[in-house]
Amino acid sequence: HPATASVYLFPVYYWIGEHVYHPATASITDPLQNISLANIPPGHHSAIATTVAAYIFFAAAMYLVLQEFEWFTTYRHRFLCKARADNYTVYVTGIPLELRNDAAVSSYFRECFHSDSVLEAHVALDIPALEKKVAERDACVAKLEHAINVRDAKGGGTVGPTHKTGPLGLWGPKVESIEAYTEELRKLNEEVARAIEAIEMAQRERDATVADAAASRADGVDTGANCLSFDIETTVNVVDSVTSGSELETPKKATKPKEMSTADSSNAKSKKADVNVMSALTFSPASESRLKHMESLAESVTSSALELIAGKKDGTPRDAAFVTFNNLTATNNALQMIEERPFLMDTAEAARPEDLYWGNIGLSHARKQLGALLGLTLSVLLMLFWTVPVGFVATLSNLSALTEVFPTVGHYIEAHPWLANLFAQLAPLFLVVVVAMLPIILKLISQLEGHPSLTAVEASLFAKLSWFTIIQTFFVSAISGSVTKEIQNILVSPVHAVDLLAMSLPSQSAYFMQIMLVQTLLGGVGIELLRVSAVGMAAIRGFVGPSLTEKERCTTWMGLRTLADPLEYLYARELGAEVILIFMILFCYAAMAPLTCFVAGFCFVLLASVLRNQFLFIYPTRNDSGGKLWVNFIQIIVVCMMIAQIALIGVLSLKKNKIAAPLLIPLPIITLLFSVYLKQKHYYVTTHLPTKICVQVDKENEADGNVQDFQFVRERYLQPSMRAKSSFPENFDEKLCESPAKETMKRGWIEFLNRTPHRKGRVVASPPPSSAKSSA
């Protein structure tokens, strides 16, 4: 372990401080400072031992980083080989208008790769009205399911609950809940089904237009003539001309057939629209049937475009699509493809379908850039203003600085001396509490940046938290603690300011060791094992919310989670706010205060053992991204090394070590070159799956038939609101409609259920006519 390289510094620091007198070190009585760099007199040549220890420590750290890369790359590639939806799908943005439909995107990638490689493509759609209806239906399903549970559990299976139809159920006429919710669900299912069918019909029309245009292009290639092409941008111009009644200028490259050129100018407005639509098409002389077919297709697309522009229905294509392949080779190649212009048909790894923020899917390039700028601005402003609470908490560990800021506190401390020890012990705890509030604020800022998935938000949160931890928790605490500690001496004797600062920086190691221990023992181990927050939330959930059945008792309600439904482990928050802080303290004080290495090692051993237990028995693995955050973690760790090395050079320079400080200058340069070396290929190799492995896995899958059906990915990237035309409670039974008073509702249900044979449960057969059976 690199910490063992600093063991020999203990006798060096202690022996020099005991046998070499200097006014700057004569007053040191703290045992922890006696075995730190603070005990070395300014200008003493023994500081060379610190330089040697720094070289050994950071060389070992860089070697371990390389070893970690070998281990991580192996397991990262294994993860990318798994039959997961995100491993076979790419996320495409920057799609031109003429390609914003499923068929056009599929055709584009089939032309780039083998035609059989593309499994499916889904262009994201703007469907706010449908999403609202689906949300209403989901709420109705939950209410109906609970009402059935109430009837079965409290009504003996015959007497159902009732509710008032007014706002919040506080007033209005009282109705039977099961009957009312059943009828409401039937209507919502029909409305959702009609909306989905209308959107799918519009998609089929666009796909048919693209397919016909592709066939015409193929004919043009075979005959050597100009091919027929359809341009959506031109169609929008056609729509504008139709709505305004103005003539559409014929494109320069368009050539009208002879029949069209002799059309009478006094035709009706609809005929003019037909001519305008055909003028927008560039074609070679073809058969009359093909021209009529294309004209009808153009009319249908124009009609759909008019409705979309007028906002009459959902279905406007967004600037994003998910393309799924049936082999890893094509997926890997698609991730690395480029176009002739920046941000055109830009591909990226697709996130898990459950992680997607569909509201951010397909945001314009300008909106994403603006979001990134806004996030950066808010983060910088927060960093500047966050110094105030962090600096105040840091002064709690220094009573002299605290009494300078708040003189009244000094009188209370004099009257009650036990408050001095209390403030010294509570300062690290207060700092941990303040830092715990930071991830909530930064996550809100990260969500404003327009990231398409929870994984991307977590990566952004991790970067922000890491830099906040380095700058605020570490440097602000160190500087405020050291400068305020000797502020009176610096004002009285400015000549000794450099000596005082050089001595006080290493003396802060005890304070940071307290932070590491409090953070690990209280938060990382104690609260983690006891699961205080989860147990408290589950206890509250036991008293509120539906709990009639096992499913209801194990379901999260209004944000209150049960122990049976634990939240995923927050990797970004824990790595950014806790582990990065430990590494920053370790790198900075490994050579200045070697005891810090052993305290950090103790914290890492505890965290590793506890988190292994939690990952095996507590936390679900739904948010496993295959180590994406690890790459960001290593990048920040290398930066932490350089910051710590520069800080050590500054401390040695302030201690007037004319040999030790210059000898340490090459170390950050070596670390910078090491960072450049890693960026050449190491990060890139972990991002993509090697081609050889892709081909090997594809051959194995083809031979074994492991993933031939691809059910693990089919329709997974279809928008959730488009997936189900009908939805029913799990405890739903068609016998709910069997009373004579509900005959009309029953018939409506039967007709609808027979149109949705894929729902859970059996399909109801049509009942015999209620009337005329007696007369028969």
Side-chain angles (χ1 to χ4, degrees):
H1 193 276
T4 59
S6 303
V7 173
Y8 75 93
L9 290 177
F10 287 114
V12 172
Y13 290 155
Y14 183 80
W15 191 89
I16 295 298
E18 288 291 325
H19 295 81
V20 178
Y21 175 80
H22 192 277
T25 59
S27 59
I28 295 179
T29 58
D30 188 352
L32 295 179
Q33 294 190 35
N34 287 333
I35 53 176
S36 69
L37 185 60
N39 207 30
I40 298 295
H44 198 273
H45 62 273
S46 60
I48 296 178
T50 305
T51 302
V52 175
Y55 272 100
I56 297 175
F57 177 85
F58 286 107
M62 286 184 277
Y63 172 77
L64 291 178
V65 168
L66 291 177
Q67 295 297 111
E68 284 289 307
F69 258 105
E70 293 183 7
W71 176 89
F72 173 75
T73 303
T74 300
Y75 285 92
R76 172 67 177 167
H77 290 167
R78 290 183 185 179
F79 178 84
L80 295 177
C81 290
K82 292 182 179 180
R84 292 167 49 103
D86 50 340
N87 287 342
Y88 285 81
T89 306
V90 298
Y91 176 56
V92 187
T93 57
I95 306 175
L97 287 173
E98 61 270 16
L99 296 181
R100 291 184 187 177
N101 59 80
D102 297 350
V105 173
S106 298
S107 300
Y108 172 85
F109 282 94
R110 287 192 175 98
E111 291 179 2
C112 296
F113 307 103
H114 195 275
S115 59
D116 296 334
S117 297
V118 180
L119 188 65
E120 61 185 14
H122 296 291
V123 175
L125 303 175
D126 192 14
I127 47 175
L130 176 60
E131 291 172 345
K132 182 179 179 181
K133 280 294 180 184
V134 171
E136 294 177 2
R137 184 182 67 180
D138 293 341
C140 182
V141 167
K143 290 186 289 187
L144 176 57
E145 183 174 358
H146 180 65
I148 297 173
N149 290 333
V150 171
R151 182 202 64 183
D152 295 340
K154 298 182 178 181
T158 57
V159 180
T162 59
H163 69 277
K164 295 181 180 180
T165 58
L168 302 177
L170 299 178
W171 57 81
K174 184 179 292 187
V175 297
E176 293 186 9
S177 299
I178 295 179
E179 179 182 351
Y181 291 146
T182 301
E183 179 63 16
E184 181 184 355
L185 179 59
R186 182 185 68 82
K187 294 179 180 179
L188 287 172
N189 272 331
E190 289 183 345
E191 292 175 2
V192 170
R194 284 196 299 267
I196 294 177
E197 289 171 359
I199 295 172
E200 290 176 344
M201 183 178 297
Q203 286 181 312
R204 286 192 294 269
E205 291 175 353
R206 291 193 295 268
D207 293 347
T209 303
V210 173
D212 197 274
S216 301
R217 287 196 299 269
D219 294 341
V221 171
D222 294 337
T223 59
N226 294 330
C227 61
L228 179 63
S229 62
F230 181 78
D231 188 354
I232 292 182
E233 291 183 354
T234 309
T235 304
V236 174
N237 295 333
V238 173
V239 173
D240 294 338
S241 67
V242 172
T243 55
S244 62
S246 61
E247 295 286 349
L248 179 67
E249 183 180 356
T250 303
K252 296 182 179 179
K253 294 183 179 180
T255 306
K256 297 182 181 180
K258 183 174 291 185
E259 303 85 59
M260 297 293 291
S261 62
T262 58
D264 190 25
S265 60
S266 61
N267 284 343
K269 193 173 186 179
S270 60
K271 295 295 184 180
K272 184 196 303 183
D274 296 341
V275 175
N276 289 337
V277 170
M278 296 307 297
S279 301
L281 303 175
T282 303
F283 55 88
S284 60
S287 63
E288 183 176 357
S289 60
R290 178 175 292 277
L291 290 176
K292 290 182 178 180
H293 177 59
M294 289 301 301
E295 182 177 354
S296 63
L297 288 174
E299 288 177 355
S300 63
V301 173
T302 302
S303 176
S304 300
L306 282 169
E307 292 182 351
L308 292 176
I309 293 173
K312 295 181 180 179
K313 68 176 184 179
D314 289 357
T316 305
R318 297 180 183 177
D319 181 19
F322 293 94
V323 182
T324 302
F325 299 88
N326 57 17
N327 60 84
L328 291 174
T329 303
T331 307
N332 192 54
N333 292 337
L335 289 173
Q336 303 176 65
M337 64 183 295
I338 58 174
E339 278 288 347
E340 64 271 10
R341 295 199 307 272
F343 307 110
L344 178 64
M345 296 301 288
D346 190 20
T347 58
E349 294 183 49
R352 294 185 308 117
E354 299 80 10
D355 276 354
L356 293 174
Y357 284 139
W358 284 101
N360 288 345
I361 298 296
L363 294 179
S364 64
H365 179 69
R367 166 63 180 83
K368 289 185 286 188
Q369 296 297 319
L370 180 61
L373 180 61
L374 178 62
L376 178 62
T377 303
L378 293 177
S379 300
V380 172
L381 292 176
L382 183 61
M383 186 180 301
L384 294 176
F385 287 103
W386 199 259
T387 305
V388 177
V390 174
F392 170 74
V393 171
T395 57
L396 294 179
S397 63
N398 191 332
L399 295 181
S400 61
L402 186 63
T403 54
E404 289 178 4
V405 179
F406 302 100
T408 308
V409 177
H411 301 295
Y412 284 105
I413 294 177
E414 292 178 0
H416 306 282
W418 59 271
L419 289 176
N421 294 329
L422 178 63
F423 281 140
Q425 298 300 322
L426 291 181
L429 179 61
F430 286 159
L431 184 59
V432 171
V433 173
V434 171
V435 171
M437 299 172 55
L438 186 62
I440 301 174
I441 303 174
L442 290 180
K443 187 170 184 178
L444 295 176
I445 296 177
S446 298
Q447 291 174 344
L448 292 176
E449 295 175 347
H451 297 290
S453 66
L454 177 62
T455 303
V457 171
E458 290 291 303
S460 177
L461 174 62
F462 169 71
K464 292 180 176 63
L465 272 176
S466 299
W467 288 114
F468 262 82
T469 301
I470 294 171
I471 295 175
Q472 290 289 342
T473 307
F474 182 75
F475 279 108
V476 171
S477 298
I479 293 174
S480 61
S482 61
V483 174
T484 56
K485 181 178 181 180
E486 302 292 348
I487 187 67
Q488 290 183 346
N489 295 331
I490 293 175
L491 294 176
V492 172
S493 180
V495 178
H496 299 288
V498 175
D499 293 339
L500 294 173
L501 184 60
M503 182 187 67
S504 59
L505 281 176
S507 66
Q508 292 296 312
S509 61
Y511 170 70
F512 285 111
M513 282 189 284
Q514 282 183 312
I515 290 180
M516 286 192 296
L517 291 174
V518 169
Q519 179 178 268
T520 303
L521 296 176
L522 182 62
V525 174
I527 295 180
E528 183 63 45
L529 286 176
L530 296 176
R531 293 178 54 76
V532 178
S533 176
V535 172
M537 187 180 298
I540 298 174
R541 174 65 178 87
F543 291 99
V544 298
S547 58
L548 296 176
T549 63
E550 185 68 21
K551 177 185 176 182
E552 289 186 348
R553 286 190 291 271
C554 297
T555 302
T556 300
W557 182 78
M558 299 291 289
L560 297 174
R561 290 186 172 271
T562 64
L563 293 179
D565 184 25
L567 186 67
E568 297 90 347
Y569 184 73
L570 304 176
Y571 292 97
R573 180 176 300 183
E574 302 301 328
L575 288 176
E578 297 183 9
V579 179
I580 287 292
L581 176 60
I582 296 177
F583 270 104
M584 188 67 241
I585 297 172
L586 174 63
F587 291 149
C588 190
Y589 286 101
M592 287 192 291
L595 183 61
T596 309
C597 299
F598 297 92
V599 175
F602 172 74
C603 295
F604 281 133
V605 169
L606 283 180
L607 287 174
S609 59
V610 170
L611 291 180
R612 278 187 172 90
N613 176 80
Q614 302 300 88
F615 290 149
L616 288 174
F617 301 107
I618 301 296
Y619 291 113
T621 58
R622 293 187 297 264
N623 62 336
D624 184 10
S625 63
K628 286 185 178 180
L629 285 180
W630 186 89
V631 177
N632 297 340
F633 174 77
I634 292 297
Q635 292 175 342
I636 295 178
I637 284 297
V638 175
V639 176
C640 290
M641 290 184 188
M642 289 187 284
I643 293 175
Q645 292 161 3
I646 294 174
L648 182 58
I649 293 174
V651 170
L652 293 177
S653 300
L654 294 176
K655 275 187 161 296
K656 302 177 182 179
N657 296 111
K658 298 181 180 179
I659 300 177
L663 288 177
L664 204 58
I665 292 177
L667 184 56
I669 299 176
I670 295 173
T671 308
L672 177 61
L673 295 176
F674 176 72
S675 177
V676 173
Y677 170 71
L678 293 179
K679 292 180 180 178
Q680 289 179 350
K681 284 297 180 182
H682 283 73
Y683 297 119
Y684 185 79
V685 169
T686 62
T687 304
H688 302 290
L689 194 61
T691 304
K692 183 178 180 180
I693 298 180
C694 290
V695 174
Q696 180 181 355
V697 174
D698 290 338
K699 289 182 178 179
E700 292 176 357
N701 291 337
E702 184 176 358
D704 300 338
N706 294 333
V707 293
Q708 292 303 311
D709 55 353
F710 291 96
Q711 292 302 318
F712 65 91
V713 69
R714 288 187 184 275
E715 305 294 333
R716 293 289 303 279
Y717 287 94
L718 186 65
Q719 286 169 265
S721 299
M722 294 284 295
R723 294 175 186 172
K725 295 181 181 179
S726 61
S727 180
F728 302 88
E730 292 185 1
N731 57 355
F732 181 76
D733 188 355
E734 293 83 8
K735 293 182 180 179
L736 295 171
C737 311
E738 287 189 352
S739 65
K742 304 172 186 175
E743 186 66 27
T744 303
M745 182 176 67
K746 178 179 179 181
R747 288 183 176 279
W749 265 113
I750 291 172
E751 293 176 1
F752 178 74
L753 293 174
N754 285 330
R755 294 198 303 268
T756 57
H758 299 294
R759 72 177 188 86
K760 294 182 179 179
R762 61 186 179 84
V763 179
V764 183
S766 299
S770 58
S771 60
K773 63 180 179 180
S774 58
S775 61

